[in-house]
Amino acid sequence: MNIKIKWLRDKLRTQNLQGMIVSNPVNVKYLTGIEAEGELLITLRENIFITDSRYVEAVNTILTIEDEILVNDKKNLNKDDYAAFFMFCENVGFEENFVTYAEYKEMLQKYRVNLMETEKIVESQRIIKEEKEIQCIERACEITDKCFEYLQSFIKIGMTEKEIAFEIERFYKTNGADGVSFEPIVASGHNSSMPHAVPGNRKIKDGDLILIDMGCKYKGYCSDMTRMIFVNCIEDEYKEAYDICLKNNEMVEKEIKDGKNMKTISQNSNNDLKVNGYSPLHSVGHGVGLDIHEKPFFSITYDQQLKENMVVTVEPGVYKTGQFGIRIEDTVLVGKMGITRLTKSSKEPTIING
Amino acid sequence: MNIKIKWLRDKLRTQNLQGMIVSNPVNVKYLTGIEAEGELLITLRENIFITDSRYVEAVNTILTIEDEILVNDKKNLNKDDYAAFFMFCENVGFEENFVTYAEYKEMLQKYRVNLMETEKIVESQRIIKEEKEIQCIERACEITDKCFEYLQSFIKIGMTEKEIAFEIERFYKTNGADGVSFEPIVASGHNSSMPHAVPGNRKIKDGDLILIDMGCKYKGYCSDMTRMIFVNCIEDEYKEAYDICLKNNEMVEKEIKDGKNMKTISQNSNNDLKVNGYSPLHSVGHGVGLDIHEKPFFSITYDQQLKENMVVTVEPGVYKTGQFGIRIEDTVLVGKMGITRLTKSSKEPTIING
C-alpha cells in the first residue's frame, strides 16, 4: 500500500479512529498524487476515492495497483453504499479545518457515523519534508532565483506594476514551473507600504523602490521569496530601513535550527524591529510545501519547536504607512546545525539601471 | 448606507436575525467592494469590517463615508470587544456553506451568540444581476470573443496545449481583463474526452480537434465560453458529434426565459443526448457572476425557476471515453422573452489552417 496512507493509518489507530474522510484536495494530493475533486475515504479495509464522472478517467491513469486505492464514481453510489463504507467503525476522523459546517452536517447524514475532529493530522504529517519533496521545493526556489535575475534586466522606468507581475508569471510558465504559487506582489513607491498590495497601474519612476514578493510551483511544491529593487539609486531613508530589515533577516536565519522555539525567534525579531522604530505588521515566517502558507507558523504567542527538514520562510518587513515598505524574504530548509537557504538571490540592495 | 447592505438587513429582519457574520470574501466584495481578508459584521447598529494590519490602509482608501462601514484592525480587539458586537442580539446568521466546522466553533466562543444558518442568503441576492453587474459580464464576454478570434490565427501545428493556455492568459491580461476566471482548458485529440482536462505537453497535429474552455474577469465579474477548433479539416465522426452537440445547445438556449423550470430544461437536454447515443457527463449549465460557478445551477433533480437578469451558461457536451469530446458553451442573459447571448463567437465548426 501507498506508504503515506500506511503512516496515516497507524496514526489514526493511536487516536482510536477506525477511519477518516480526507476532503482537502491538497491532502488528497499529498497522500495519493491525485489532483481531482473528490473525497478520500480511509475505511477499515480499503482506501476509496469518490469522485465524479469528469475525473474518473484522469484519476485512473495516475494510480497503480500498488496504491491500493479504489476509484468510485459518485453517481453509481446510493444511500446504502455510503452508510456501508464505515460499517463497524465507532469513530471516523474528518477535517474540521477544511469541511464547512454545512458539509459536516451532510457527512453526518450520509455516512451515519460518529465524526471526530482530527486537528490537522495530515497537515502535521506534511510539516517534515521527505527528500523528494525538498528536491521539488529546491527546484521551485531555483526557478525563482532565475526569475529575479531576469527581472533586473527586464524592469525599466515607465513599466506598470501589472506588466512586471505578468512577466513574472510568463517567466515561471516558460521556465519549467507549473505556474505561480501565489499572485506576485509588485509594489512600487508608496504602494510598498501595504504588505499585501495588489499590482496596479502605477508606473515605475526614477529613484523608486520596488517590493517584489513572488514564488512558483514545481510538481505542486511552492517557493516564496521577497526582494527589493531600487531604480538607479537608493535614497538614504530607504538604505537605512533596508539595513534594519536585512540585519533582522540575517539574525533570524542564524537563530533557526532543529530544536529552537519559533515563539522565541518571533519575539526576538519583533523586539529588534521595535527597538529600531518599526511596528511589526506581520509574522516573521511560515511553512512552505504543497501550500504556500502551511504549518509550522512563526508566532509570538504560540510555542512550536523547529525540526530538521521543515521548510519555512524568513520574512521580516519594515513599513512606514503611506510612504514605503521594505521586506526581505527567503525560503529556508531547517537542519540540525542551522539553515540551508533555498532561495539564493543576493541580499545586498539591488540597484538597477531603469 | 450602502444599498446592498440595506437590502441584506431587510432580508435578515424577515428571518428573525438581528445580525450576520459575512465571511465569504466574494460576498464581502459584493456587499462592500472590499477585496481583503476579513469578516464583515452586520450588527444591530453598525457595519464593521474586521481585518488585519496588512489590509487596513488599502481598505480605508476604497470606502467612503456613505458606505457606513467601520474598519477595525483585529489586533486592537480583545475578548470583551468581540462579545459586545452582538449584544442584545438573539440570533445572528453565519455562512454555513463557507465557514469551516472549526471556524464555526471558534465563532461561537468569540461572539457568544446563537449562530443560525443563513442558507446562502447573499448568494441568493447575487442571482439577479444589476445593470452595472451585467455590463461587467458583457465586457468579460466581449474580451473572451476577441480572444477566441485571436486564437484562430495564433494556433499552429506543433504548439502544445500548455502554450495555447498560456497565450489565453496573456491575451486576457493585456486586453483589459483582470485575468482568467478559471485556468483555461485546452484539450486536444483524445484529451478532449476528459471534461476537466489540464493542458499538457501534447502537441497539436493535423486533423486534431481542440476543445477550448475559457473565461476572464472584468472588475471581478466572470465570462465562460467553450468552442471547438478543428485543424485543417473535420473528420466525419467529429462532425456528426458536433452537430448533435450544437443542436442540443441551440435547443436549450431556445428554451431559456423568465419563468422556465431549470429541471425540465436539464432533463430535455439529457434526454436528447441519450437519444443520440451519448451519456451526459455533467450538467447543462450554471450561474456566472463574481464566481465562475454560482447560483442558479441547472439540475435534473432540483426545481428552480429562471428569472429575468440571471446570467447562466449553456454547455452541453458529448464525450467518447479515450477518443474525443465536444462541448459548445455560451454565457447568456435571461430575459422576459428569451436569452441574449453574451458570448457571441460563431457556433459553426471553426476550421483553422494549422
Side-chain angles (χ1 to χ4, degrees):
Chain A
M1 190 188 299
N2 169 322
I3 189 170
K4 282 173 182 152
I5 294 185
K6 223 176 206 167
W7 192 96
L8 177 61
R9 282 183 170 274
D10 289 343
K11 193 85 187 169
L12 290 171
R13 219 166 289 129
T14 68
Q15 302 194 9
N16 191 30
L17 297 172
Q18 289 82 45
M20 182 170 172
I21 304 167
V22 185
S23 312
N24 183 339
V26 178
N27 289 340
V28 171
K29 179 181 158 70
Y30 173 75
L31 293 168
T32 67
I34 293 171
E35 293 182 76
E37 281 178 33
E39 262 172 13
L40 176 69
L41 308 187
I42 310 292
T43 73
L44 270 179
R45 280 192 204 79
E46 289 165 330
N47 308 310
I48 300 161
F49 186 64
I50 302 180
T51 185
D52 65 62
S53 41
R54 294 173 301 168
Y55 298 107
V56 170
E57 196 187 337
V59 169
N60 274 322
T61 59
I62 73 135
L63 292 178
T64 66
I65 293 177
E66 282 81 51
D67 283 315
E68 293 186 38
I69 297 168
L70 303 170
V71 179
N72 262 318
D73 183 340
K74 68 181 175 189
K75 79 160 183 273
N76 302 326
L77 298 174
N78 62 34
K79 267 188 173 186
D80 293 339
D81 294 327
Y82 281 106
F85 282 130
F86 293 113
M87 223 188 320
F88 308 118
C89 292
E90 202 181 334
N91 298 314
V92 168
F94 80 109
E95 298 186 291
E96 76 277 11
N97 287 291
F98 183 81
V99 167
T100 66
Y101 180 82
E103 287 163 345
Y104 163 78
K105 281 182 65 177
E106 201 193 315
M107 279 181 175
L108 270 185
Q109 279 216 322
K110 207 162 64 172
Y111 295 110
R112 295 187 218 155
V113 78
N114 207 10
L115 289 178
M116 306 293 286
E117 301 177 32
T118 49
E119 293 176 0
K120 306 206 173 183
I121 189 170
V122 183
E123 285 86 343
S124 302
Q125 190 178 346
R126 283 166 44 195
I127 293 187
I128 307 294
K129 268 67 180 178
E130 290 172 5
E131 192 49 38
K132 252 189 177 171
E133 299 183 278
I134 293 170
Q135 283 166 3
C136 291
I137 300 173
E138 271 175 342
R139 182 81 189 105
C141 288
E142 206 181 312
I143 300 171
T144 293
D145 283 329
K146 281 195 181 137
C147 182
F148 185 67
E149 198 190 329
Y150 167 74
L151 288 176
Q152 294 173 46
S153 61
F154 172 79
I155 295 173
K156 297 283 171 226
I157 288 171
M159 281 180 184
T160 66
E161 296 169 347
K162 263 191 187 170
E163 282 170 325
I164 299 168
F166 183 73
E167 190 63 13
I168 292 170
E169 292 199 37
R170 197 200 58 77
F171 185 94
Y172 280 144
K173 292 207 178 170
T174 52
N175 283 274
D178 313 339
V180 295
S181 51
F182 59 94
E183 292 291 320
I185 297 173
V186 178
S188 62
H190 60 87
N191 289 340
S192 60
S193 78
M194 292 178 282
H196 276 230
V198 176
N201 290 317
R202 186 185 181 282
K203 287 185 178 168
I204 304 303
K205 290 191 294 202
D206 188 31
D208 261 350
L209 84 177
I210 314 169
L211 185 154
I212 299 181
D213 189 348
M214 63 185 184
C216 67
K217 284 193 184 198
Y218 178 74
K219 293 193 177 168
Y221 286 85
C222 302
S223 62
D224 195 355
M225 181 173 89
T226 308
R227 288 293 185 273
M228 303 301 305
I229 284 180
F230 301 89
V231 183
N232 291 327
C233 61
I234 174 167
E235 281 184 28
D236 289 348
E237 194 186 9
Y238 297 164
K239 180 65 169 65
E240 205 174 301
Y242 192 92
D243 289 342
I244 289 167
C245 186
L246 178 59
K247 210 182 99 258
N248 195 289
N249 170 290
E250 290 175 337
M251 178 185 87
V252 173
E253 292 193 357
K254 253 180 221 144
E255 287 184 62
I256 291 177
K257 67 177 173 189
D258 185 283
K260 278 293 189 96
N261 187 329
M262 296 172 78
K263 177 175 159 182
T264 314
I265 294 176
S266 301
Q267 288 171 338
N268 291 346
S269 167
N270 277 11
N271 289 341
D272 176 65
L273 293 179
K274 283 178 195 161
V275 163
N276 284 288
Y278 291 95
S279 354
L281 285 194
H282 52 74
S283 86
V284 75
H286 55 81
V288 176
L290 284 169
D291 277 321
I292 180 66
H293 299 116
E294 63 176 45
K295 284 183 143 198
F297 293 96
F298 279 95
S299 155
I300 51 165
T301 49
Y302 179 66
D303 272 310
Q304 162 109 13
Q305 288 231 329
L306 287 164
K307 295 259 168 256
E308 194 180 5
N309 293 337
M310 287 180 171
V311 175
V312 298
T313 65
V314 176
E315 50 176 314
V318 298
Y319 305 95
K320 285 219 162 157
T321 310
Q323 296 181 51
F324 69 88
I326 284 170
R327 184 163 68 246
I328 303 170
E329 173 188 28
D330 287 314
T331 300
V332 307
L333 172 66
V334 181
K336 278 248 177 294
M337 309 300 295
I339 60 151
T340 308
R341 274 221 281 143
L342 302 182
T343 48
K344 297 181 174 158
S345 298
S346 162
K347 291 196 276 196
E348 286 305 301
T350 303
I351 301 171
I352 61 161
N353 297 316
Chain B
M1 191 187 300
N2 168 324
I3 190 170
K4 283 173 182 153
I5 293 184
K6 223 175 205 166
W7 193 96
L8 176 62
R9 283 182 168 275
D10 289 342
K11 193 84 188 172
L12 290 172
R13 219 166 288 129
T14 68
Q15 302 193 9
N16 190 31
L17 296 172
Q18 289 82 45
M20 181 171 173
I21 303 167
V22 185
S23 313
N24 183 339
V26 178
N27 289 341
V28 170
K29 177 178 159 73
Y30 173 76
L31 293 168
T32 66
I34 293 172
E35 294 182 75
E37 281 177 33
E39 262 173 11
L40 177 68
L41 309 187
I42 310 292
T43 73
L44 270 179
R45 280 192 204 81
E46 290 166 328
N47 309 309
I48 300 161
F49 185 64
I50 301 179
T51 185
D52 64 63
S53 42
R54 294 173 301 170
Y55 298 105
V56 170
E57 195 187 337
V59 169
N60 274 321
T61 59
I62 73 136
L63 293 177
T64 67
I65 293 177
E66 283 81 51
D67 283 315
E68 293 186 38
I69 297 168
L70 303 171
V71 178
N72 262 318
D73 184 339
K74 68 180 174 190
K75 80 160 181 274
N76 302 326
L77 298 174
N78 62 33
K79 268 187 171 185
D80 294 338
D81 294 327
Y82 281 106
F85 283 130
F86 293 113
M87 225 188 316
F88 309 119
C89 292
E90 201 180 334
N91 298 315
V92 168
F94 80 108
E95 297 186 292
E96 76 277 11
N97 287 290
F98 183 81
V99 168
T100 66
Y101 180 82
E103 286 164 345
Y104 163 77
K105 281 184 63 179
E106 200 192 315
M107 279 179 175
L108 270 185
Q109 278 217 322
K110 209 162 61 173
Y111 295 110
R112 296 187 218 154
V113 79
N114 207 11
L115 289 177
M116 306 293 286
E117 300 177 33
T118 49
E119 293 175 1
K120 305 205 174 184
I121 189 170
V122 183
E123 285 86 344
S124 302
Q125 189 177 346
R126 284 166 43 194
I127 292 188
I128 308 295
K129 267 68 181 177
E130 290 172 5
E131 192 49 37
K132 251 189 178 171
E133 297 183 280
I134 293 169
Q135 283 166 4
C136 290
I137 299 174
E138 271 175 343
R139 183 80 189 104
C141 288
E142 206 181 309
I143 300 171
T144 293
D145 282 330
K146 281 194 182 140
C147 182
F148 185 68
E149 198 191 329
Y150 167 73
L151 288 176
Q152 294 173 46
S153 61
F154 173 78
I155 295 174
K156 297 286 171 223
I157 287 170
M159 280 180 185
T160 66
E161 297 169 347
K162 263 191 188 172
E163 282 170 325
I164 299 168
F166 184 74
E167 190 64 14
I168 293 171
E169 291 199 38
R170 196 200 58 78
F171 185 93
Y172 280 144
K173 292 206 178 170
T174 52
N175 284 274
D178 312 338
V180 296
S181 52
F182 59 94
E183 292 290 319
I185 296 173
V186 178
S188 62
H190 61 87
N191 288 341
S192 60
S193 77
M194 291 177 281
H196 275 230
V198 176
N201 290 318
R202 186 185 180 281
K203 287 183 177 170
I204 304 303
K205 290 191 294 202
D206 187 31
D208 261 351
L209 84 177
I210 314 169
L211 184 154
I212 299 180
D213 189 348
M214 62 186 184
C216 67
K217 284 192 183 197
Y218 178 74
K219 293 193 177 170
Y221 285 85
C222 302
S223 62
D224 195 354
M225 180 173 90
T226 308
R227 288 293 185 272
M228 304 300 306
I229 284 180
F230 300 90
V231 183
N232 291 327
C233 62
I234 173 166
E235 280 184 29
D236 288 349
E237 194 186 11
Y238 297 164
K239 179 67 168 66
E240 207 174 297
Y242 192 93
D243 289 343
I244 289 167
C245 186
L246 178 59
K247 212 182 98 257
N248 195 289
N249 169 291
E250 290 175 338
M251 180 184 86
V252 172
E253 291 193 358
K254 253 179 221 144
E255 286 184 63
I256 291 176
K257 67 177 172 188
D258 185 284
K260 278 295 189 92
N261 187 330
M262 296 172 77
K263 176 174 159 181
T264 314
I265 295 176
S266 300
Q267 287 170 338
N268 292 346
S269 167
N270 277 10
N271 289 341
D272 176 64
L273 293 180
K274 283 179 194 160
V275 162
N276 284 289
Y278 291 94
S279 354
L281 285 194
H282 52 75
S283 87
V284 75
H286 55 82
V288 177
L290 284 169
D291 277 320
I292 180 66
H293 299 116
E294 63 176 44
K295 284 183 141 197
F297 293 96
F298 279 96
S299 155
I300 52 166
T301 50
Y302 178 67
D303 272 312
Q304 162 108 15
Q305 288 231 330
L306 287 164
K307 296 260 168 255
E308 194 180 7
N309 292 337
M310 286 180 172
V311 174
V312 297
T313 66
V314 177
E315 50 175 314
V318 298
Y319 305 95
K320 284 218 162 156
T321 310
Q323 295 180 52
F324 69 88
I326 284 169
R327 183 162 70 246
I328 303 169
E329 173 188 30
D330 287 315
T331 300
V332 308
L333 173 66
V334 182
K336 278 248 177 294
M337 309 300 294
I339 60 150
T340 309
R341 274 220 280 142
L342 302 183
T343 48
K344 297 180 174 157
S345 298
S346 162
K347 290 196 275 198
E348 285 307 300
T350 304
I351 301 171
I352 61 161
N353 298 316

